[in-house]
Amino acid sequence: MAEEQSQISDLSFEQALRELEGVVRRLESGDVPLDESIDLYERGEQLRKACQKRLDAAQARIEKIVAGPDGKPAGTEPFDTGNAA
C-alpha cells in the first residue's frame, strides 16, 4: 500500500485516475474493513480533487488557445466525449 500512498502531486493525471479507479473498485467490492474504507475514501477524494484540478487547468489552456485577438472566445463548443446519451 506504500506505493499507492505516493504523493498525489507526483502522479500524472493518468496515474491518479488509475489509482482512483482502483480505490472505487475496492470500496465497491465491500470486502474492505470499515477503518480501511474510510482511509480509502479520503484518498479517493484527494485523487478526485487532483484530477478535477488538472482537468480544469487543461480546459483553461484550451480556452486560451481558441480565444480571439481581443481575448474573448472566438467560438468554443462543449467538448464531445463521444458518449451520446
Side-chain angles (χ1 to χ4, degrees):
M1 182 104 161
E3 188 175 312
E4 284 183 39
Q5 294 299 323
S6 60
Q7 291 293 327
I8 292 172
S9 61
D10 294 339
L11 300 174
S12 69
F13 173 80
E14 291 78 8
Q15 290 169 322
L17 187 57
R18 274 193 301 274
E19 186 176 335
L20 179 56
E21 290 169 345
V23 165
V24 170
R25 276 192 301 276
R26 290 189 65 201
L27 288 171
E28 287 178 341
S29 75
D31 296 333
V32 182
L34 179 60
D35 288 340
E36 189 177 344
S37 292
I38 293 168
D39 291 341
L40 281 170
Y41 183 85
E42 289 173 345
R43 177 73 173 179
E45 182 60 16
Q46 293 169 347
L47 289 161
R48 184 200 65 77
K49 286 180 181 178
C51 288
Q52 186 63 55
K53 183 178 178 181
R54 290 179 183 159
L55 287 172
D56 291 344
Q59 181 178 355
R61 288 179 63 194
I62 290 169
E63 288 174 357
K64 185 176 180 182
I65 291 169
V66 298
D70 59 358
K72 295 182 181 177
T76 59
E77 296 180 19
F79 179 72
D80 181 6
T81 62
N83 295 330

